[in-house]
Amino acid sequence: MAKSNDPFAELSMLDLRGKQSVRATFKLSQKAIDAIGLVAVHMGIKQKSLFDHIIEDHAALDQLARSIRIRQFKQLDRKQKTFVLSRKTIEALTAISETYSMPRDALVEYSIKKLESVIQSEKIRHEDRKKLAGNLESRFNDILSLYRESALTLGKDDPFCRHLEKLIDHMKRTTQDVDAFLEKSKVLEDF
């Protein structure tokens, strides 16, 4: 039988169904809810994709289920939160939950805890970015001084000055973009 060049020929209804979005409600700690929101917003990842990534790995989820201490989980102050997940992710959660007779909420809570190391490393990187942004501002001021000196020496219409002007405009936009990113990243400081 000849192989088809049609990229969709291999897709089955089950594959398509696994990508289907469904809503699921979990009782989670505020810290877990904040973590999933923070990572999604800060890194520009949809929450559904984030859940797919942290939950869909059956082997990791299985290993996690073995390590959960259900008594500790039950002591957490939790509240309900609804998320959109893929059907495949829900099925993975349900399968592991049934295998270990464990609430899906516990699996989700402890899966999200894996994000804390990502958040902590991003928090450190955020501090580094703030320091580097200070250097960026200093360098921008150096270029601005060079432009002023060049304009006095050569005149604003000199090709050298026009090129520096373009550089300054580009640096202004870049500085604004960096400042906006740093402002958006401030949520990391309080986590």
Side-chain angles (χ1 to χ4, degrees), residues 18-32:
K19 303 234 183 273
Q20 187 179 28
S21 296
V22 292
R23 292 186 184 279
T25 301
F26 304 102
K27 283 186 83 176
L28 303 172
S29 68
Q30 188 61 51
K31 189 169 185 176

Side-chain angles (χ1 to χ4, degrees), residues 82-122:
T82 301
F83 296 97
V84 175
L85 285 75
S86 71
R87 186 170 299 279
K88 206 176 205 179
T89 298
I90 289 288
E91 288 169 358
L93 271 172
T94 302
I96 299 294
S97 173
E98 289 171 358
T99 300
Y100 291 95
S101 299
M102 178 174 297
R104 290 186 324 180
D105 296 348
L107 290 169
V108 172
E109 178 80 28
Y110 287 94
S111 292
I112 292 171
K113 277 189 178 285
K114 294 190 285 186
L115 295 175
E116 288 180 15
S117 63
V118 172
I119 293 169
Q120 291 308 317
S121 67
E122 274 302 301

Side-chain angles (χ1 to χ4, degrees), residues 125 127-137 178 182:
R125 291 173 65 86
E127 291 304 317
D128 291 341
R129 288 181 191 117
K130 287 191 328 187
K131 289 175 191 166
L132 290 168
N135 289 344
L136 180 65
E137 187 177 333
V178 166
L182 289 175

Side-chain angles (χ1 to χ4, degrees), residues 32 35-36 39 50-65 67 107-121 191:
I36 199 86
V39 171
L50 203 50
F51 272 109
D52 288 348
H53 179 73
I54 63 176
I55 294 174
E56 214 172 65
D57 182 353
H58 285 273
L61 199 56
D62 185 71
Q63 185 178 4
L64 178 68
S67 68
L107 290 169
V108 172
E109 178 80 28
Y110 287 94
S111 292
I112 292 171
K113 277 189 178 285
K114 294 190 285 186
L115 295 175
E116 288 180 15
S117 63
V118 172
I119 293 169
Q120 291 308 317
S121 67
F191 191 83

Side-chain angles (χ1 to χ4, degrees), residues 26 30-31 36 38 45 48-49 55-56 59 66 70 82 90 101 106 136 150-151 155 163-164 166 176 179 191:
F26 304 102
Q30 188 61 51
K31 189 169 185 176
I36 199 86
L38 184 134
I45 303 169
K48 178 181 176 255
S49 299
I55 294 174
E56 214 172 65
R66 294 173 203 229
I70 206 68
T82 301
I90 289 288
S101 299
L136 180 65
S150 302
H163 287 298
L164 281 179
K166 287 179 188 177
Q176 289 168 349
D179 289 345
F191 191 83

